């Protein structure tokens, strides 16, 4: 925790997605590095490698990753064959470190390993062995597992091979389903990274995410819940986005929160949200709403 809150990482999954021209994307990548937040999260396959390449150019013009910025990227399956064995992890690591222009990564995660079973990942010559070897060689600080489904994350954590876990959209004001996994991980000394505290955007009031939660249509129950949250926040004079961020940033089971940033304006807004104190009365009023409905398929 930094200053009573969890670390705040900027999520670069949409960096280079075409909504900004190249110059705009390059400026945003520079801003990711110099924004004064604690880390930047990307992956080999985000925007087909452009996210890492843009961040690499920003790192190159800065001379190195700025002090105080933890860089996190992820190993991805082969985009053509879906292969996700040890060889692929090593190639993915080489691709990522080349694009980023770094030799070593403080945090490196196995990303969405949906094309293989846990047994395959754990086998000799498998993805996890390669990750552990990278850590043993000092090329990676901590190894983590990043995915959506909670039972899959729990299965990977049970192997004892991982230092960190990243879950997304499942520990927010509107979906607390990762609470047990996070508490167990913390109790075992595993670093907890909570990505997508806005549920992909709806909890920040993003027009692009209206009616959607975690990148898919939201249930009517969830939309009603978000409406009630919004009303509570409005009557307290606090933006819903500030309350949504506060929930993750100040939760004792969260080590790092990852917020997706799509523009310089969003980055500026994030600064405002981080600096908006959320009154204890509003936190209590939100708690009194009871368990959120989540967004079952
Ligand atoms: N499997 C994985 O490893 C995994 C999965 C998911 C996410 N992640 C990581 O977590 C990061 C965050 O996830 P996410 O971006 O999907 O979800 P998120 O952080 O919950 O939501 C981010 C979205 O909210 C909107 N937003 C942000 N600030 C806002 C503001 N002040 N006002 C209104 N809208 C605002 C933006 O959309 P608009 O600008 O379009 O309105 C932005 O794209 C990703 O970038 C990635 O690094 C990892």
């Amino acid at each position: 925790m930094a200053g009573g809150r969890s670390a705040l990482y900027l999520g670069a999954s949409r960096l280079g997605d075409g909504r900004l021209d190249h110059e705009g994307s390059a400026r945003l990548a520079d801003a990711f590095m110099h924004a004064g937040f604690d880390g930047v999260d990307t992956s080999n396959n985000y925007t087909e490698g452009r996210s890492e390449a843009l961040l690499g150019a920003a790192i190159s013009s800065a001379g190195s990753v700025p002090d105080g910025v933890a860089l996190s990227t992820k190993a991805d399956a082969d985009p053509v064959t879906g292969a996700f064995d040890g060889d692929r992890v090593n190639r993915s690591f080489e691709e990522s470190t080349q694009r980023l222009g770094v030799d070593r990564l403080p945090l490196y995660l196995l990303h969405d390993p949906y094309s293989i079973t846990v047994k395959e990942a754990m086998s000799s010559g498998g993805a996890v062995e390669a990750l552990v070897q990278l850590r043993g060689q000092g090329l990676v600080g901590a190894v983590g597992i990043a995915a959506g489904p909670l039972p899959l994350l729990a299965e990977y954590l049970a192997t004892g091979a991982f230092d960190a876990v990243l879950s997304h959209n499942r520990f927010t004001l509107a979906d607390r389903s990762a609470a047990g996994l996070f508490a167990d991980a913390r109790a075992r000394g595993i670093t907890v990274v909570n990505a997508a505290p806005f549920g992909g955007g709806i909890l920040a009031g993003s027009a692009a995410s209206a009616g959607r939660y975690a990148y898919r249509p939201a249930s009517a129950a969830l939309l009603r819940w978000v409406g009630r949250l919004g009303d509570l926040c409005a009557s307290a004079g606090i933006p819903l986005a500030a309350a949504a961020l506060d929930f993750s940033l100040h939760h004792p089971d969260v080590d790092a929160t990852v917020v997706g940033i799509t523009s310089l304006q969003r980055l500026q807004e994030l600064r405002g949200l981080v600096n908006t104190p959320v009154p204890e009365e509003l936190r209590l009023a939100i708690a009194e709403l009871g368990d959120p409905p989540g967004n079952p398929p």
Side-chain angles (χ1 to χ4, degrees):
M1 292 245 177
R5 63 163 173 85
S6 67
L8 181 48
Y9 283 28
L10 303 176
S13 55
R14 300 185 206 182
L15 182 65
D17 68 357
R19 75 174 81 190
L20 302 174
D21 63 16
H22 182 75
E23 238 176 64
S25 299
R27 270 200 299 273
L28 184 57
D30 280 334
F32 268 66
M33 288 297 152
H34 299 289
F37 289 112
D38 309 294
V40 175
D41 179 70
T42 184
S43 194
N44 183 299
N45 74 357
Y46 286 166
T47 59
E48 296 169 334
R50 290 186 297 281
S51 174
E52 287 183 334
L54 285 158
L55 292 172
I59 292 167
S60 166
S61 43
S64 60
V65 179
D67 283 349
V69 177
L71 190 58
S72 144
T73 192
K74 313 186 190 83
D76 279 290
D78 185 291
V80 177
T81 64
F84 214 171
D85 56 8
D87 286 346
R88 172 56 200 161
V89 166
N90 286 322
R91 267 200 314 281
S92 194
F93 179 81
E94 276 165 30
E95 289 166 7
S96 292
T97 48
Q98 255 172 36
R99 288 181 196 136
L100 291 164
V102 299
D103 300 324
R104 188 181 179 280
L105 290 161
L107 174 60
Y108 193 49
L109 303 110
L110 187 67
H111 189 208
D112 293 350
Y114 305 140
S115 58
I116 48 169
T117 63
V118 176
K119 199 172 165 199
E120 284 166 343
M122 296 305 300
S123 66
S124 170
V128 174
E129 183 184 84
L131 284 175
V132 169
Q133 276 169 3
L134 288 169
R135 184 178 58 195
Q137 291 160 6
L139 297 172
V140 160
V143 299
I145 173 71
L150 296 169
L152 184 69
L153 288 175
E155 225 186 309
Y156 273 104
L157 291 185
T159 66
F162 293 91
D163 309 303
V165 60
L166 182 154
S167 161
H168 60 89
N169 291 291
R170 290 162 176 83
F171 197 61
T172 73
L173 281 182
D175 183 339
R176 320 268 167 88
S177 54
L181 182 100
F182 280 1
D184 286 352
R186 279 297 296 244
R188 292 166 54 198
I190 293 168
T191 298
V192 170
V193 182
N194 187 35
F198 300 145
I202 184 173
L203 297 175
S206 162
S209 290
R212 299 175 71 77
Y213 186 88
Y215 328 121
R216 61 189 175 85
S219 68
L222 182 58
L223 292 176
R224 275 197 302 277
W225 171 270
V226 172
R228 288 166 71 199
L229 270 178
D231 291 346
L232 272 183
C233 292
S235 55
I238 299 292
L240 172 56
L245 190 59
D246 172 77
F247 172 78
S248 182
L249 276 187
H250 295 102
H251 197 286
D253 287 340
V254 175
D255 292 292
T257 298
V258 191
V259 175
I261 291 297
T262 50
S263 64
L264 293 174
Q265 185 191 325
R266 291 291 190 230
L267 192 52
Q268 194 51 33
E269 288 164 355
L270 182 63
R271 287 198 180 89
L273 296 175
V274 174
N275 292 321
T276 301
V278 173
E280 199 50 35
E281 306 83 71
L282 177 58
R283 289 182 180 155
L284 287 172
I286 292 172
E288 279 167 13
L289 280 179
D291 285 338
N295 195 31

